[in-house]
Amino acid sequence: MTRHATMTTAVPDPELVAAAVRPDNTAEMDTRVTEDAVVTRIERDDTGGLQSTVDDYVVNVTVATEVAQHANRHTTNES
């Protein structure tokens, strides 16, 4: 039996964040963009593998979102 998880992350610049996390996707992952969110579906054969992949993905999307926010503040001179 295959296990799966779908994460939807609302972010200010979903295209940029999705582009940043896609290179780390495995064959069992699909990342797409909706109007205001990054949506990633992960399928794995076992629960432990799914948990590890989800954990890695959450870290990656968090870092990508923070970097995008810092870059936006820097380029727009926001505080």
Side-chain angles (χ1 to χ4, degrees):
M1 175 171 37
T2 303
R3 282 95 170 135
H4 68 273
T6 302
M7 281 79 52
T8 302
T9 310
V11 293
D13 193 344
E15 289 285 345
L16 180 62
V17 173
V21 299
R22 273 191 195 112
D24 289 330
N25 282 5
T26 64
E28 298 90 2
M29 298 173 71
D30 177 58
T31 298
R32 61 187 171 84
V33 175
T34 64
E35 187 173 308
D36 62 349
V38 177
V39 180
T40 298
R41 179 178 168 88
I42 302 170
E43 291 186 13
R44 294 297 300 263
D45 291 333
D46 60 85
T47 304
L50 179 63
Q51 181 179 356
S52 294
T53 304
V54 168
D55 287 347
D56 289 346
Y57 173 79
V58 169
V59 170
N60 291 344
V61 80
T62 300
V63 170
T65 301
E66 289 176 4
V67 169
Q69 289 172 343
H70 287 292
N72 185 46
R73 271 196 301 251
H74 178 71
T75 58
T76 60
N77 295 319
E78 293 178 14
S79 300

